[in-house]
Amino acid sequence: ITSESQNELLSALASMARQGIGNISSALTLRAAFSRVLAKRRAEITKLNDVALKEETKKYKNTTDSDNWLKDREKFYIAHTESEYLNEREKLIEVLISWVGDVVRQKCSVNRLDFPSEKDTTARVADAHELSDLLQRMEGMEQLRANLETNVQEQLALEVAFLTAFG
């Protein structure tokens, strides 16, 4: 089951595939779409957690050691928001990796696909590229995941990975 964010990303992948993988412009357009989807999800997550904090503040303000408790809860919600964001980012990166994996599977005539609804698109991309090229592109996406586990600047890591995998 794919989420709305994942569907938006699949749509952006299909659009990029129509322009052709190997085009720097389409790779950067895809990265921008990825960043937009991720920013939208971050805003949604932040809003939900801000509402939850306000509700807790209203409910418990006069029943606890309010200053310390409120500071602790605020820290909790900041950390919770960041954690949810990182989880969402990982899910979206997994969509990218699975999509490129589908292209590789199509190239190798494997029937099992993660996104069967994208079969025609991934088949077109597979037909247009050599297996070695596709595997290098897959490595670019795997390298993104590894880089994001370090303290690398997120937007720079995304740009490099998208240029490697789709440019």
Side-chain angles (χ1 to χ4, degrees), residues 11-35:
S11 176
L13 280 161
S15 176
M16 184 254 339
R18 283 189 292 278
Q19 295 175 21
I21 289 183
N23 176 329
I24 290 174
S25 174
S26 62
L28 293 176
T29 300
L30 179 63
R31 188 204 54 83
F34 179 87
S35 294

Side-chain angles (χ1 to χ4, degrees), residues 59-158:
K59 184 174 182 178
Y60 296 111
K61 186 173 183 165
N62 297 322
T63 60
T64 64
D65 177 14
S66 63
D67 286 342
N68 289 332
W69 184 83
L70 287 175
K71 286 178 188 170
D72 288 346
R73 292 311 288 169
E74 189 173 328
K75 288 177 187 172
F76 166 81
Y77 279 108
I78 289 170
H80 189 63
T81 298
E82 188 63 19
S83 173
E84 286 185 74
Y85 167 78
L86 293 176
N87 184 42
E88 190 67 26
R89 183 183 73 188
E90 181 58 31
K91 286 179 188 176
L92 292 175
I93 289 170
E94 189 59 41
V95 168
L96 294 170
I97 291 171
S98 295
W99 189 89
V100 175
D102 278 359
V103 172
V104 171
R105 284 188 283 279
Q106 293 271 46
K107 187 70 177 177
C108 297
S109 302
V110 175
N111 290 329
R112 190 209 155 278
L113 301 174
D114 289 329
F115 300 110
S117 63
E118 303 298 311
K119 182 178 182 176
D120 293 340
T121 303
T122 54
R124 247 189 344 271
V125 173
D127 289 343
H129 296 274
E130 295 297 319
L131 181 59
S132 60
D133 178 48
L134 295 173
L135 292 174
Q136 285 179 328
R137 292 175 187 284
M138 175 67 91
E139 178 60 31
M141 292 312 307
E142 290 292 348
Q143 189 61 47
L144 172 62
R145 179 183 278 153
N147 285 340
L148 289 173
E149 290 174 0
T150 68
N151 65 348
V152 70
Q153 205 276 334
E154 180 181 281
Q155 290 305 315
L156 181 60
L158 288 172

